[in-house]
Amino acid sequence: MGEEVDGNTVLAQSLKQQGVEFIFGIIGYPVIELSMALQMADIHYVGMRNEQAACYAAQALGYLTGNPAGVLCVSGPGVLHTFAGMANAQINCWPVVVIGGSSPQDHEGIGGFQECNQVELARPYCKYSARPPSVSLIPLHVEKAVRLSKNGRPGAVYLDFPANILSAKVDSTTIPRQYGPTEIPLIYPDPVKIQEAVELLGQAKRPLVIVGKGAAYSRAEKEVNELINASNLPFLATPMGKGVVPDTSDRCIGPARSLALQKADVILLLGARLNWILHFGRPERFSPDVKVIQIDILAEELHNSVKSAVAIQSDIKTAVSQIVDSLKQKKFEFSSSEEWWKVLKRKCEDNRKIVDGMASDVQPPLNYYAVFKNLYENIPEDCIIVSEGANTMDIGRSMLLNKLPRHRLDAGTFGTMGVGPGFAIAAALYCRHYEPKKRVICVEGDSAFGFSGMEIETMARYKLPITVVVVNNSGIYTGMEPEVFKDIQDSGEITKVTPPGCLSSCTRYDNMMALFGKPGFFVQTVPELKEAIGQALKIEDGPTVINVIINPTADRKPQTFNWLTESKL
Ligand code: ADP
Ligand code: MG
C-alpha cells in the first residue's frame, strides 16, 4: 500500500507536472479544496470576480507566454460563465485549460445542486472536452488536455470534475505514471511551395506582406523582421500582429492600409485569416486578381474564403526563415524607386496630415485623436497596451504604435467586449514574472470598461500596477451632452426616451480608486492628461484609473469604406 491521495491533489499535481503555472478562477462548491491543493502544488492562484474575466486572463497569459494557463470554476453557472472566454480563446487561436467542478455523480438526473451537462455544453467552444472517469485517469486526461490546447492551432480545452471524483481517495501506487509536457512540434514547409512563393514575390509589381497574430504567436519576430529588412517589401499588420515588425518601421504602410489592400497584386499572408478583419480577401477591398501566398499552421485554413495562389502549411518561423534564405540567394530587393512605394508613401503622408490636424484640436471637450496623440507621447515605448471599445479601440490602434511583438491585446477576432481588465491582469502578471520593468496601459472605452470593471479589485488585491485609461464619451458609440442627459432623466419616461447607447453623463470612474483609498485621476484637458499619466506611472503597488472625459459625439475621421458592409461577397 502506498500513501492515500485524493482527486484534488492528483489534479493539482498533474497540472503542475504539465507545466501549468497560473490558474485564474473563483472558488465555491465543489472546488474549494482544489484551489488549496493548487497552491500546495506550487501553482499561482489568482482569484477573480467573474469567471468570464478569469478565462480572458488565462488565455492572454497563454498567448503572452506560449504556455497554457488554467481557469478554475464552480459547477453550473460558473462553467457557463467561462464559455464567452472559451469561445474567445478558440476563435483567437489561444491556448487555455478550463477546469470545472460539477455536481456529484450520484446526484445526476435527480436535480443535483448546479447540475449541468457541462461536458456537452463546453464542446462547441473548445478542442477537447472530457470528464476523467476516475482519480487514476486524471493525469492522463490533464496531459492530453494541455497538449491539445497548445499543439497545432492552439485553442481552449475543458475538463470536468464531479465533486465525488475530486474528494475520492486512492492508493497513490495505483495511479499510472504520466510523462511531463511534450514539446510543441515545429512544422516545416514544403520546399517546393517555398520556391513558388519566392518566384511569385519576385514577379510582383505591387507586393504586400500582411503580418497577423499567428506570426506573433509563433514568435517569428526575428525571421519576419529579417524578411522585411532584407527585401524592402511594404508590410502592414493586423491589430494583434502589430509590433512583430515595429509600427515605426519605414516599411510599415499601416496609414495606407485600404489602398495597399485594394491595389496589391501579390500578398504574402503570414498567420492571418482572410476573415472580416481582412475583408474576406475579396473585392472591392482587394483586387479581384490578387495572388495570395498563404502560410498557416492549420491545413484546414488554407484557401478559406479565396483560393490562394500558393498555400503553405507551416509554422511562420520556419517558412519565413526559408523564404528569407531564398530571397537572399537571389539577391532580391524590392526597389524603393518603384512606383508602388511612391504611391504608398504619398498616401501614408496624406493620412498622417489628416490625423495630425485632428489631434492638434485640443479644445475641450477633447476628441479621440488629441487624447491618443498625447497618451502615446507620454507612455513608455515598451509598455503592453490592452485596448477595447468601439472608437476607442479602432482609433487607438492606429495611434498607439507598437514596437514589440505581443504588446497589444484587444477585442480580437471575436470582437469581445469585457476582455480588457482580464487581459491587463494577465499582462501585469507576465511583466512581474518575466519582464519586471514593463508597464501595462489598459485603454478602455467607458462602455467596454463596464463589462468587467470590478476586476479593478483583483488588480488592487494582487498589487498589479495597471494604468486603466477610460476614454469616456458617456455612451456606446456616442453619448449625450450633460444638459441633454439631464433633460432625459427628468422627463418621466426614462426607459422610453433614453437612447439605448446612452450611459450616465461624465461618470466618475476615477472615484472607483477611493474603494481602495488610492488616487484616481479626472481629466478634461491635455495638460491634465499629461499630468495624470506622469502621476499614474509613479504608482507601482497597484492599479489606477485615469478617467478622460471626451466629447460625447466625438467621431472617427471620414473612412473610405464602411468597415463591414461594403465587401461584395
Ligand atoms: P489576425 O487576427 O492577426 O488576422 P487570425 O487570428 O485571423 O490573425 O489568424 C491567425 C492564424 O495564425 C490562424 O489561422 C492560426 O491557425 C495561425 N497560426 C497560429 N499559430 C501559428 C504558427 N505558429 N504558425 C503559423 N500559423 C499560426
Ligand atoms: Mg463610450
Side-chain angles (χ1 to χ4, degrees):
M1 282 282 283
E3 133 199 42
E4 266 202 332
V5 284
D6 64 5
N8 290 310
T9 308
V10 175
L11 173 53
Q13 290 176 351
S14 302
L15 287 163
K16 179 74 182 178
Q17 186 192 16
Q18 297 307 327
V20 175
E21 296 291 344
F22 285 86
I23 302 236
F24 300 82
I26 300 184
I27 65 153
Y29 176 81
V31 297
I32 299 168
E33 291 78 7
L34 176 56
S35 66
M36 297 183 228
L38 292 170
Q39 286 185 319
M40 294 278 286
D42 207 22
I43 291 176
H44 296 276
Y45 180 80
V46 182
M48 305 279 292
R49 302 304 301 264
N50 184 303
E51 294 88 352
Q52 243 180 48
C55 198
Y56 296 145
Q59 64 195 260
L61 198 59
Y63 172 67
L64 292 172
T65 61
N67 191 41
V71 179
L72 176 73
C73 58
V74 303
S75 40
V79 173
L80 296 184
H81 286 170
T82 67
F83 288 174
M86 284 170 68
N88 191 70
Q90 188 72 356
I91 289 168
N92 268 350
C93 316
W94 289 357
V96 68
V97 179
V98 180
I99 306 290
S102 56
S103 69
Q105 283 165 300
D106 58 352
H107 294 180
E108 276 179 350
I110 52 172
F113 172 66
Q114 297 183 334
E115 180 188 344
C116 181
N117 192 4
Q118 295 162 188
V119 176
E120 279 315 306
L121 292 177
R123 213 181 292 287
Y125 308 110
C126 60
K127 293 173 80 176
Y128 178 64
S129 178
R131 170 188 282 185
S134 69
V135 174
S136 310
L137 286 171
I138 289 175
L140 179 146
H141 277 267
V142 171
E143 187 282 325
K144 180 165 180 180
V146 171
R147 174 163 43 85
L148 264 64
S149 76
K150 61 188 185 178
N151 284 15
R153 173 187 269 178
V157 295
Y158 175 71
L159 287 180
D160 196 65
F161 293 92
N164 56 298
I165 298 269
L166 290 174
S167 59
K169 292 194 163 89
V170 299
D171 178 342
S172 62
T173 58
T174 66
I175 303 175
R177 279 174 70 88
Q178 187 59 54
Y179 41 85
T182 49
E183 241 176 70
I184 303 171
L186 193 56
I187 313 290
Y188 283 79
D190 175 348
V192 175
K193 295 279 172 202
I194 293 290
Q195 282 323 304
E196 284 175 26
V198 168
E199 259 157 53
L200 202 50
L201 280 173
Q203 292 158 12
K205 292 268 175 294
R206 294 179 305 282
L208 175 67
V209 179
I210 299 180
V211 184
K213 68 176 174 292
Y217 190 83
S218 147
R219 278 135 184 90
E221 46 269 17
K222 181 176 153 281
E223 291 77 5
V224 180
N225 273 286
E226 229 186 317
L227 169 74
I228 299 298
N229 294 337
S231 67
N232 193 37
L233 289 169
F235 80 93
L236 57 84
T238 63
M240 284 194 264
K242 270 159 60 74
V244 169
V245 183
D247 284 340
T248 48
S249 156
D250 281 348
R251 289 156 184 132
C252 173
I253 48 91
R257 181 179 189 273
S258 292
L259 178 90
L261 294 181
Q262 225 180 357
K263 298 275 159 62
D265 63 349
V266 173
I267 289 179
L268 176 59
L269 187 65
L270 304 177
R273 285 167 286 185
L274 291 176
N275 57 14
W276 66 274
I277 289 185
L278 287 170
H279 321 287
F280 315 101
R282 297 181 181 206
E284 301 174 357
R285 303 300 303 267
F286 284 70
S287 154
D289 305 318
V290 64
K291 294 191 169 64
V292 176
I293 303 164
Q294 182 188 15
I295 308 180
D296 201 288
I297 199 153
L298 186 76
E300 287 87 333
E301 186 60 40
L302 302 174
H303 306 294
N304 208 25
S305 184
V306 294
K307 188 169 187 293
S308 295
V310 183
I312 305 177
Q313 184 195 11
S314 172
D315 193 274
I316 300 300
K317 232 172 144 60
T318 50
V320 172
S321 144
Q322 295 191 13
I323 291 176
V324 170
D325 286 349
S326 177
L327 287 176
K328 277 187 178 164
Q329 258 175 27
K330 293 188 160 48
K331 301 202 171 19
F332 172 89
E333 193 185 328
F334 189 72
S335 167
S336 297
S337 58
E338 289 282 344
E339 188 55 24
W340 181 228
W341 256 129
K342 288 185 195 152
V343 169
L344 291 172
K345 288 275 178 198
R346 220 176 295 133
K347 186 73 188 172
C348 285
E349 271 317 301
D350 291 350
N351 267 340
R352 279 197 191 104
K353 272 187 206 138
I354 297 174
V355 169
D356 285 348
M358 294 177 80
S360 65
D361 171 9
V362 292
Q363 197 61 32
L366 297 174
N367 70 58
Y368 286 103
Y369 295 86
V371 171
F372 286 126
K373 174 173 188 285
N374 289 284
L375 182 60
Y376 178 63
E377 286 174 0
N378 289 281
I379 55 177
E381 284 203 324
D382 64 351
C383 65
I384 297 184
I385 295 172
V386 178
S387 181
E388 62 173 336
N391 281 334
T392 297
M393 183 172 72
D394 289 342
I395 301 169
R397 186 171 52 239
S398 60
M399 298 194 67
L400 303 174
L401 305 185
N402 293 96
K403 293 187 181 157
L404 294 166
R406 299 171 298 282
H407 278 54
R408 178 184 171 85
L409 299 165
D410 68 21
T413 310
F414 208 27
T416 309
M417 292 300 142
V419 292
F423 283 4
I425 287 168
L429 286 166
Y430 170 82
C431 292
R432 177 180 288 171
H433 288 267
Y434 304 103
E435 300 197 57
K437 295 224 157 52
K438 282 193 179 165
R439 296 295 298 239
V440 178
I441 313 289
C442 180
V443 188
E444 300 275 303
D446 55 328
S447 162
F449 184 55
F451 289 83
S452 308
M454 204 60 227
E455 298 300 341
I456 195 93
E457 189 279 320
T458 310
M459 298 176 192
R461 189 165 11 108
Y462 293 105
K463 296 186 159 191
L464 297 170
I466 296 163
T467 306
V468 179
V469 180
V470 180
V471 182
N472 188 350
N473 70 345
S474 307
I476 306 172
Y477 301 119
T478 54
M480 291 273 126
E481 308 287 351
E483 316 78 59
V484 184
F485 179 71
K486 186 169 181 315
D487 288 348
I488 290 173
Q489 293 270 295
D490 293 342
S491 72
E493 286 277 18
I494 286 192
T495 48
K496 283 203 173 158
V497 297
T498 308
C502 174
L503 297 170
S504 294
S505 189
C506 302
T507 300
R508 293 296 300 265
Y509 297 103
D510 49 306
N511 284 344
M512 287 173 83
M513 291 313 299
L515 296 170
F516 316 104
K518 292 279 162 76
F521 302 89
F522 183 68
V523 164
Q524 289 173 296
T525 65
V526 164
E528 286 169 0
L529 176 62
K530 289 184 184 171
E531 171 68 17
I533 300 166
Q535 294 296 327
L537 290 173
K538 286 187 197 145
I539 300 172
E540 292 187 342
D541 61 348
T544 195
V545 176
I546 303 178
N547 183 16
V548 188
I549 303 296
I550 65 163
N551 188 337
T553 56
D555 209 349
R556 302 174 67 175
K557 77 177 174 65
Q559 303 290 304
T560 320
F561 288 101
N562 214 335
W563 70 291
L564 271 186
T565 44
E566 301 221 3
S567 270
K568 289 222 172 90
L569 295 181

